[in-house]
Amino acid sequence: MSPAQTQVALDIAQRHGIPDILARVLAGRGVSADQAAGFLDPTLKALMPDPRSITDLEAAAKRIADAVRNRENVAIFGDYDVDGASSSALLARYLRFFGIEARIYIPDRIFEGYGPNPAAMRELSAQASLIVTVDCGTNSAEAFDAVRENGSDIVVLDHHQVGGALPDVRAVVNPNRDDDLSGLGYLCAVGVVFMTLVDVSRQLRAHGINRLPDLLSMLDLVALGTVCDVVPLVGLNRAFVTKGLVAARHLSNPGLSALARVSSIGEPLNPFHLGFLIGPRINAGGRIGNAALGSMALVEEDANRAGEIAAELDRLNKERQAIETEMVAQARAEADRDMATGTPPAVVLTSSTEWHPGIVGLIAARLKEHTRRPAFAVALDGSGKGTGSGRSIPGFDLGKLVRAAVEEGLLVKGGGHAMAAGITVERAKLGDLRDFFEEKAASAVSSIIENETQKIDGALSARGANLMLISEIEKAGPFGTGNSEPVFVLPNHRVASSAVVGNGHLKVRLQAEDRSQIDAIAFRAADSELGQFLSGRAGRPVHVAGTLSVNHWNGRQTPQMRIIDAAEPV
């Protein structure tokens, strides 16, 4: 921490009467003494601007409000990921309050691909006078042209980067439009849907309709989509997640409650549960099963039926894990060969005819972690084309790179946002695509990697890393992209024991010089350089860096460290 940040931390601690360690965490994230109180209590009232600051939102809200007043048939076309499922469920639950049972259509990832397609739009336009696309639609002008003759209105609620001209529809609400000045481009789709529904309620109230849905009680869906879409937890998103977790812990949504049960979550829901336990189960339907299962669970009112859907998603998730393990091993072997060359690639690009198209996003995420650079995985089919997915590292805009490749004619189609993207590519163009990525990304990625440092918020002992400290640190949350979880170092702690647990995780017990101990875990590290280093240090001292959390087990709460790095004392 710089001298200037140290002074800011001192000012925060003295002015607000908070512990020094929490003040250091805030100062390290650029929070000033004047901002500290608001940062520690992010509220919608303080952080949500007028929804109409988003271009086209007022028009979209008016069309939805008219559909409510006229009891129209409404169809919702959503994406097959968690953001799409939570967006679809949020809008459907809102409309259900008024007796409108909207049809939710989630495309099949393999046979239909991402976003609206002409056949689906024709089917929906025959059933509904209003079609709302959520988490997709910004780049779907051709698909919308197919329904003009049926007279259905289309409203797009999206957040993905724009490629080409906007579709000619009733409204395109996307804070990443070039003409949008709201500054809310960090929202995911469910955040955009929530903002739109706030204005729908405003317009309905103006027409004398005062019995309205409780949108605050639906913030659990907003928190779920926001965490799982890995958008920055800054500004309004922090309020969405903070207040959404309060709603989620009430378990009033039968589907979310059932998913928490099958995930064996025995503690109050937190961002980790949403992102790493519940989210993957919702995604499992879109990856290898029925893509609509996730939205079906989140919109279901009957607890028994919600339990059945959650159990099916849990089964699919286990099947997905087995497929993923084999595919990741193959992809890592290919990536390792590329990385072993004289000049490792700036962007890792792997492909195979044996991979399941629904799992490529997970492979890309694992490759990104393994190589510490942007990565793509492409599942090739028998027609000479491949469906791929990419994941990026902080600081590199992957969606922008993909849009450039589309404009260059190297991709059949592609889109996404800064941290994730999807592509369709001809197998014959993979080599040219790899060269293009290298040309456009090498300098930026190299700079990011060369300047990559592990920021440390403080040094502790095992005795100091207690439940009271963790409780104080959590006040600076929620943590995630854009608001990184505080990292602490345990210097000169002896590795008292280590063991491989679960799916390749390494569990370690660390002991300080005063013989105080803390349990620690390095996820998916058993076969990694980190895991091998820790396993080989039995009884010897190490410096360990990681994040702190509370481990709930058999009714007991104990501190635990998640290890992210380790080093030998010098």
Side-chain angles (χ1 to χ4, degrees):
M1 179 174 286
S2 69
Q5 289 176 319
T6 300
Q7 183 58 51
V8 172
L10 181 61
D11 291 345
I12 291 174
Q14 292 178 343
R15 188 186 304 186
H16 299 283
I18 63 177
D20 290 344
I21 190 68
L22 177 56
R24 286 177 59 87
V25 168
L26 297 181
R29 279 144 191 78
V31 179
S32 69
D34 291 336
Q35 298 168 331
F39 190 89
L40 293 172
D41 183 24
T43 64
L44 294 179
K45 182 177 181 180
L47 295 171
M48 190 170 79
D50 185 340
R52 295 179 184 180
S53 65
I54 303 178
T55 301
D56 247 11
L57 187 143
E58 184 178 2
K62 181 181 185 305
R63 183 62 188 88
I64 296 171
D66 288 346
V68 169
R69 292 170 56 225
N70 298 324
R71 298 295 189 270
E72 296 180 45
N73 290 328
V74 180
I76 301 168
F77 188 105
D79 190 17
Y80 37 62
D81 67 0
V82 180
D83 191 18
S86 54
S87 297
S88 300
L90 175 61
L91 179 55
R93 282 180 166 275
Y94 186 93
L95 294 172
R96 179 182 289 163
F97 181 89
F98 300 103
I100 298 175
E101 286 295 331
R103 179 186 174 186
I104 297 176
Y105 188 107
I106 308 294
D108 186 281
R109 180 188 294 262
I110 298 174
F111 297 107
E112 295 179 86
Y114 169 79
N117 60 79
M121 296 306 295
R122 279 192 290 268
E123 178 182 336
L124 294 179
S125 67
Q127 303 169 1
S129 54
L130 173 62
I131 303 171
V132 183
T133 72
V134 294
D135 199 25
C136 57
T138 297
N139 302 308
S140 302
E142 293 182 9
F144 296 149
D145 288 342
V147 302
R148 292 194 185 284
E149 65 273 14
N150 291 339
S152 299
D153 283 330
I154 297 171
V155 167
V156 173
L157 305 180
D158 196 6
H159 74 121
H160 289 92
Q161 293 181 353
V162 179
L166 293 172
D168 181 17
V169 295
R170 179 61 69 97
V172 177
V173 184
N174 184 336
N176 285 302
R177 285 175 53 159
D178 292 339
D179 59 349
D180 187 278
L181 303 177
S182 67
L184 295 172
Y186 58 80
L187 294 181
C188 66
V190 72
V192 174
V193 172
F194 183 87
M195 295 280 282
T196 304
L197 294 179
V198 168
D199 200 62
V200 172
S201 289
R202 176 197 290 182
Q203 297 199 32
L204 291 174
R205 197 176 290 112
H207 283 92
I209 300 175
N210 295 311
R211 186 172 175 271
L212 299 166
D214 179 9
L215 278 170
L216 294 181
S217 70
M218 301 183 196
L219 280 171
D220 50 2
L221 295 173
V222 183
L224 176 64
T226 299
V227 170
C228 292
D229 218 47
V230 203
V231 289
L233 293 186
V234 298
L236 181 56
N237 279 345
R238 293 191 68 244
F240 279 155
V241 176
T242 300
K243 304 309 178 186
L245 284 171
V246 173
R249 288 164 184 162
H250 290 140
L251 297 177
S252 58
N253 183 304
L256 194 58
S257 177
L259 286 163
R261 283 196 302 274
V262 298
S263 302
S264 301
I265 300 172
E267 58 188 283
L269 290 175
N270 61 43
F272 175 84
H273 299 139
L274 299 183
F276 293 95
L277 297 178
I278 292 176
R281 285 168 169 81
I282 294 174
N283 273 330
R287 295 190 189 284
I288 60 173
N290 180 350
L293 285 175
S295 59
M296 289 169 59
L298 296 176
V299 81
E300 182 58 57
E301 297 287 2
D302 181 79
N304 291 330
R305 177 57 183 150
E308 293 172 357
I309 300 171
E312 175 63 6
L313 286 170
D314 186 55
R315 184 192 68 78
L316 288 170
N317 190 54
K318 290 183 174 67
E319 183 179 338
R320 184 272 304 170
Q321 288 173 325
I323 298 172
E324 178 190 348
T325 298
E326 183 177 348
M327 289 171 56
V328 167
Q330 296 172 0
R332 282 184 59 167
E334 181 179 345
D336 286 343
R337 287 193 296 270
D338 291 341
M339 294 294 292
T341 60
T343 305
V347 178
V348 175
L349 177 60
T350 61
S351 63
S352 174
T353 57
E354 300 178 2
W355 292 348
H356 191 296
I359 312 293
V360 289
L362 299 174
I363 300 178
R366 297 288 179 263
L367 290 177
K368 183 256 301 187
E369 295 171 1
H370 180 59
T371 63
R372 294 175 33 246
R373 60 196 65 214
F376 283 87
V378 178
L380 300 169
D381 61 24
S383 70
K385 289 184 180 180
T387 301
S389 188
R391 297 294 183 270
S392 193
I393 57 177
F396 185 80
D397 192 331
L398 199 65
K400 184 177 180 180
L401 179 68
V402 165
R403 292 309 312 169
V406 172
E407 293 169 4
E408 195 72 16
L410 295 172
L411 294 174
V412 177
K413 64 178 180 177
H417 49 79
M419 298 301 291
I423 62 174
T424 301
V425 59
E426 294 177 4
R427 184 173 187 173
K429 291 187 177 181
L430 280 174
D432 292 337
L433 181 64
R434 184 177 282 105
D435 292 342
F436 178 81
F437 283 166
E438 194 66 25
E439 175 189 348
K440 296 296 183 181
S443 178
V445 171
S446 176
S447 177
I448 291 171
I449 293 173
E450 288 175 4
N451 295 300
E452 185 180 31
T453 57
Q454 178 60 66
K455 295 182 179 180
I456 303 297
D457 289 274
L460 301 169
S461 69
R463 188 179 302 279
N466 53 45
L467 295 176
M468 184 178 298
L469 175 73
I470 295 172
S471 177
E472 290 294 337
I473 292 169
E474 287 177 345
K475 294 177 182 177
F479 300 116
T481 303
N483 186 35
S484 59
E485 197 165 0
V487 176
F488 298 96
V489 169
L490 301 183
N492 285 308
H493 280 54
R494 186 171 61 86
V495 178
S497 65
S498 65
V500 178
V501 298
N503 188 23
H505 312 311
L506 186 70
K507 186 173 183 179
V508 178
R509 175 160 291 185
L510 300 169
Q511 185 179 77
E513 291 182 358
D514 64 3
R515 305 191 69 79
S516 60
Q517 296 186 345
I518 184 172
D519 287 332
I521 190 164
F523 288 109
R524 293 191 298 272
D527 296 327
S528 71
E529 184 179 355
L530 173 62
Q532 292 169 2
F533 171 78
L534 290 169
S535 298
R537 298 288 298 182
R540 300 160 65 190
V542 292
H543 298 324
V544 176
T547 60
L548 298 174
S549 63
V550 178
N551 182 37
H552 296 254
W553 181 253
N554 287 339
R556 295 179 63 241
Q557 298 182 29
T558 56
Q560 177 177 267
M561 170 173 271
R562 181 178 69 85
I563 301 173
I564 57 178
D565 204 355
E568 183 176 358
V570 294

